[in-house]
Amino acid sequence: MSKPSRRLTVVAAALAIVALTATACSDPEAESQVVTEDGQSFDLTPEQTERVRVDKVDEIAAKVPQAIRDRGTLIVTGAGGTAPPLRFYATDDTTIVGSEVDFSYLVGDILGLDVDLQVADWSQNFVKIDSGENDVFISNVTVTEERKDKYDFATYRLDNLAFETQKDTDWKVEKRQDIAGKKIGVGSGTNQEQLLVDWNEANVAEGLAPAELAYYQNTSDYYLALGSKRIDGYLGPNPSAIYHAATSGESKVVGTFSGAGDALQGEIAVLTKKDNGLIEAIREALQHAIDDGSYQRVIDRWGLQSEAVSESVINPPGLPRKPAA
């Protein structure tokens, strides 16, 4: 991913909000501090001076495997080119920031470990966990039954997906049949893609036209395609869709669904290699943060109120397996 592509979403959103808020018009720091019309602010700076930090909890930290305690760092892998507010490049085009980064630091603080943030393409994140090069994958990862074969999960957020389209269209997505014949952008290898594939199969079985799935390299590319009407819509994480719609002024959310499909509420979780001894300490760290209010402060900081949970759970039911052919 090139640096100009990385920064495009952040800069475009910041510039768009200048036209929406009077304060931004005279604020030389408008690019680094986005405020939506409903008052939600987003810090896009590398400094992240308002990041939520907490103290170590000795009894939880003692449950971390000895090798990681001796090293003193929690190596966290994740995506880099996703849209705010999840995990994205700050205005210096180098520093990774966002809600997923804040959750990483929250866990690291409670476990008494420094956080070493790594960036990789989506599929490579799993490879880094498989090899043991990285300890955890924290980057809007959905629990799925297939992934549970190889990985352990500790939940910390609901997984909701959103369809985003141009502001001047009347398309709404209330059921799977509503995507028939549309061209929809989606990330390759994601649960969003699996949901659309499943819906297409069901629609074709009913005699409806399938949706055409469009793949691009970066989130910013999807937004450019959406703005130029080369695609009818984009299916992605609900927080990013809400952020982009609120800050661009050019799009809107027209449908929201569970990331695990119609029958199950999807959940986002910290992912570790299966049975490596780390997941219980992570779950306890997340639960401690939920109980002491620091978790809610991260949720509020990034506008994720609709996706908050009251309990962290290890390996809950996930996105169902795709039936064997």
Side-chain angles (χ1 to χ4, degrees):
M1 182 186 304
S2 67
K3 287 191 174 183
S5 295
R6 290 174 180 170
R7 195 175 183 188
L8 180 57
T9 300
V10 173
V11 173
L15 292 177
I17 204 62
V18 170
L20 294 176
T21 60
T23 54
C25 292
S26 59
D27 183 1
E29 298 300 321
E31 182 179 313
S32 60
Q33 188 73 27
V34 170
V35 182
T36 65
E37 289 182 306
D38 64 2
Q40 177 69 53
S41 63
F42 296 95
D43 179 5
L44 309 183
T45 66
E47 292 79 13
Q48 295 294 298
T49 57
E50 300 302 316
R51 176 175 286 144
V52 179
R53 304 302 300 266
V54 295
D55 294 329
K56 177 183 178 182
V57 179
D58 290 337
E59 58 268 33
I60 301 176
K63 297 184 179 183
V64 174
Q66 189 64 52
I68 297 177
R69 277 189 280 162
D70 290 344
R71 188 179 65 212
T73 59
L74 185 70
I75 306 176
V76 181
T77 193
T82 57
L86 296 175
R87 201 177 196 266
F88 60 98
Y89 286 98
T91 51
D92 66 353
D93 200 29
T94 301
T95 306
I96 291 291
V97 299
S99 62
E100 306 302 80
V101 173
D102 280 13
F103 285 122
S104 301
Y105 276 101
L106 201 59
V107 169
D109 284 349
I110 293 169
L111 298 182
L113 299 170
D114 292 331
V115 173
D116 180 359
L117 293 174
Q118 304 288 323
V119 176
D121 293 337
W122 181 256
S123 61
Q124 285 301 307
N125 286 304
F126 294 98
V127 173
K128 287 176 177 292
I129 296 297
D130 293 342
S131 68
E133 179 182 347
N134 292 166
D135 302 315
V136 294
F137 182 7
I138 305 178
S139 188
N140 201 56
V141 184
T142 302
V143 181
T144 76
E145 289 302 306
E146 183 177 0
R147 289 172 184 167
K148 282 163 60 178
D149 291 341
K150 294 179 63 177
Y151 309 106
D152 286 321
F153 294 88
T155 60
Y156 63 94
R157 212 167 34 80
L158 298 181
D159 175 27
N160 292 318
L161 307 177
F163 284 90
E164 188 179 356
T165 189
Q166 296 89 5
K167 201 168 187 177
D168 60 355
T169 64
D170 57 5
W171 179 44
K172 293 183 179 179
V173 186
E174 298 175 341
K175 55 189 183 301
R176 62 171 167 78
Q177 291 88 346
D178 294 331
I179 72 167
K182 298 292 187 179
K183 186 174 182 178
I184 303 172
V186 68
S188 178
T190 63
N191 64 309
Q192 297 98 287
E193 180 190 27
Q194 183 173 334
L195 183 67
L196 290 177
V197 169
D198 292 344
W199 282 9
N200 268 344
E201 291 178 353
N203 284 349
V204 169
E206 293 179 359
L208 299 174
E212 179 185 351
L213 306 189
Y215 303 96
Y216 298 88
Q217 185 173 359
N218 305 309
T219 304
S220 56
D221 296 331
Y222 288 107
Y223 291 146
L224 286 173
L226 190 65
S228 62
K229 298 189 177 181
R230 285 180 283 127
I231 57 176
D232 296 299
Y234 171 56
L235 179 62
N238 183 57
S240 296
I242 291 174
Y243 175 92
H244 184 250
T247 57
S248 71
E250 299 175 351
S251 66
K252 61 183 178 182
V253 173
V254 294
T256 306
F257 297 85
S258 164
D262 298 334
L264 181 70
Q265 172 59 60
E267 296 195 69
I268 299 298
V270 176
L271 177 152
T272 72
K273 192 172 184 178
K274 198 166 191 66
D275 298 326
N276 71 352
L278 186 56
I279 201 65
E280 180 56 36
I282 290 174
R283 187 207 68 80
E284 290 194 25
L286 289 167
Q287 191 61 52
H288 178 83
I290 291 169
D291 294 340
D292 76 1
S294 55
Y295 166 86
Q296 189 63 46
R297 289 163 59 198
V298 175
I299 289 287
D300 292 343
R301 182 171 189 248
W302 295 103
L304 301 173
Q305 292 85 353
S306 66
E307 303 197 347
V309 298
S310 60
E311 182 182 15
S312 178
V313 178
I314 291 177
N315 296 334
L319 181 70
R321 298 176 190 274
K322 190 173 179 62

